[in-house]
Amino acid sequence: QVQLVESGGGLVQPGGSLRLSCAASGIIFRINTMGWYRQAPGKQRELVAAITTGGTTNYLDSVKGRFTISRDNAKNTVYLQMNSLKSEDTAVYYCNNFPNGNLNWGQGTQVTVSS
């Protein structure tokens, strides 16, 4: 059974940092391109960052230079380092494969950027 468990979210002030983690089980993690997605209230879910099996990354324009996606295939885990956070980054963050996003979605982790 596929399971994705996100963690690391929280409340942070503008300009602060958070590191999100997503632990995957039930899949051959190393062959999947993985992505971090987010969904803000009243908005559609969007891709924030993705990382291929070979480590190639791509980012949403609005997070370039601030967010870094990485993966540890030995731990079946994908990370999202978020720096210089802005209020518009407030959302529930999820991981899934990319581009299909067809694994069972986890519960996500809430990121709130507010002073």
Side-chain angles (χ1 to χ4, degrees), residues 6-11 17-21 36 80 82 109-111:
E6 301 92 350
S7 62
L11 173 63
S17 298
L18 286 172
R19 188 191 193 209
L20 307 184
S21 299
W36 278 99
L80 186 68
M82 305 187 297
T109 187
Q110 175 71 49
V111 172

Side-chain angles (χ1 to χ4, degrees), residues 15-86:
S17 298
L18 286 172
R19 188 191 193 209
L20 307 184
S21 299
C22 170
S25 60
I27 63 170
I28 306 175
F29 181 80
R30 68 182 184 277
I31 68 171
N32 278 268
T33 292
M34 296 299 295
W36 278 99
Y37 302 76
R38 68 186 180 188
Q39 188 166 21
K43 294 187 178 181
Q44 289 190 333
R45 187 176 291 163
E46 64 180 351
L47 177 72
V48 174
I51 184 167
T52 69
T53 56
T56 300
T57 58
N58 68 286
Y59 297 92
L60 184 68
D61 282 348
S62 62
V63 309
K64 284 181 181 176
R66 300 189 297 121
F67 290 10
T68 303
I69 188 171
S70 61
R71 65 190 295 161
D72 185 337
N73 289 337
K75 295 182 178 180
N76 285 4
T77 301
V78 60
Y79 304 97
L80 186 68
Q81 177 68 43
M82 305 187 297
N83 299 327
S84 302
L85 282 161
K86 305 176 180 179

